[in-house]
Amino acid sequence: MAGINLFPMFMVGLLGSVHCGAMCGGIVSALSLAPARAGTPAFPVPVRTVTLQSSLPNVFAYNAGRIGSYMIAGALAGGAAGSARALAGLPALQAGGFWLANLMLVALGLYLMDAWRGLAWLEQGGRALWRHVQPLMRRVGPPDTPAKMLATGFLWGWLPCGMVYSALVTAMLTGSGTAGASVMLAFGLGTLPMLVALGAAGAQVRAFLARRAVRVASGVVVLGFGVLGLVRAAGGLPQSWLHTLCITPGVGA
């Protein structure tokens, strides 16, 4: 299937990461305070013993693992769609897929605004997978090295999350494992600034993200991406720079 514009996926990750603050902020902050090496005091250590310089390797290792899991999920979603390439070539099916992807953005925008919680049922469905992944967290052990943080982030990336699932719908539209992984990489990189900030200065950032005005503003912008995409899918948006803001086939694809 045609390529997907990656800029909207990056922006959806960036704006949607206000949800990450509520869902993952506590664990990211706690993990960043883990001892730098085995044999140091038990996790978590007092905040006063942790510096920004010492916590950043843990934060980046965790996020590298998390984004890696997103890319694998994107590759699986895109590859699964690609296995039905004959069907994916049908124009009506392609159009329906892009309508679905943009409707998911509309749903995500409303979800971020706490105006509609419809994506919660997707998270409920993902709990079946999480039940199999969660026990592996205990096998990793205390996250006292960057390697363990990498493994923890990779496993945590499979936590049921409506925001991630909405991005996976777009990854599926690519019909390619490589392109699907690229979509989820763009999305994951969008979430990176907020989650790095959460790891480095968790309490202050979580307080900022808890403000309703921040969540509503982020939700409105994500909602706008979805509406633009729907208008474009309906043929009501001429080819222009606005095209780059829509989840539609990439220009020239």
Side-chain angles (χ1 to χ4, degrees):
M1 190 177 283
I4 300 288
N5 289 325
L6 297 181
F7 177 72
M9 297 311 302
F10 175 85
M11 291 303 298
V12 167
L14 181 64
L15 295 164
S17 58
V18 300
H19 174 63
C20 300
M23 188 170 185
C24 306
I27 186 66
V28 173
S29 298
L31 290 175
S32 70
L33 299 179
R37 58 187 182 276
T40 55
F43 159 76
V45 296
V47 174
R48 65 179 180 275
T49 68
V50 180
T51 65
L52 177 62
Q53 182 178 3
S54 66
S55 68
L56 281 180
N58 279 349
V59 173
F60 279 110
Y62 167 84
N63 282 288
R66 179 180 59 83
I67 294 174
S69 70
Y70 292 169
M71 293 177 67
I72 290 175
L76 292 173
S83 66
R85 190 171 301 277
L87 288 177
L90 295 174
L93 188 60
Q94 288 189 14
F98 285 109
W99 275 87
L100 175 60
N102 286 291
L103 284 171
M104 289 291 288
L105 284 190
V106 170
L108 177 58
L110 295 173
Y111 185 59
L112 293 173
M113 296 162 63
D114 289 326
W116 184 65
R117 306 289 294 177
L119 286 183
W121 69 268
L122 278 178
E123 295 179 353
Q124 291 294 329
R127 293 187 187 281
L129 173 62
W130 179 243
R131 282 197 294 269
H132 295 286
V133 175
Q134 192 173 19
L136 298 176
M137 299 279 286
R138 290 191 291 270
R139 295 189 181 184
V140 172
D144 49 16
T145 67
K148 288 184 178 180
M149 291 291 287
L150 182 72
T152 299
F154 178 82
L155 294 174
W156 196 261
W158 299 96
L159 184 74
C161 175
M163 186 177 79
V164 174
Y165 296 157
S166 66
L168 281 173
V169 171
T170 303
M172 183 178 65
L173 285 177
T174 64
S176 159
T178 301
S182 297
V183 165
M184 295 308 292
L185 173 61
F187 169 79
L189 289 176
T191 66
L192 188 59
M194 188 67 73
L195 285 175
V196 169
L198 281 166
Q204 296 91 331
V205 175
R206 286 202 306 276
F208 173 75
L209 297 181
R211 297 178 182 175
R212 176 164 177 77
V214 173
R215 295 183 61 87
V216 169
S218 299
V220 166
V221 177
V222 173
L223 179 66
F225 277 118
V227 171
L228 278 176
L230 291 173
V231 174
R232 178 66 180 146
L237 183 65
Q239 190 84 348
S240 69
W241 66 270
L242 284 173
H243 182 87
T244 62
L245 302 180
C246 305
I247 295 182
T248 57
V251 177

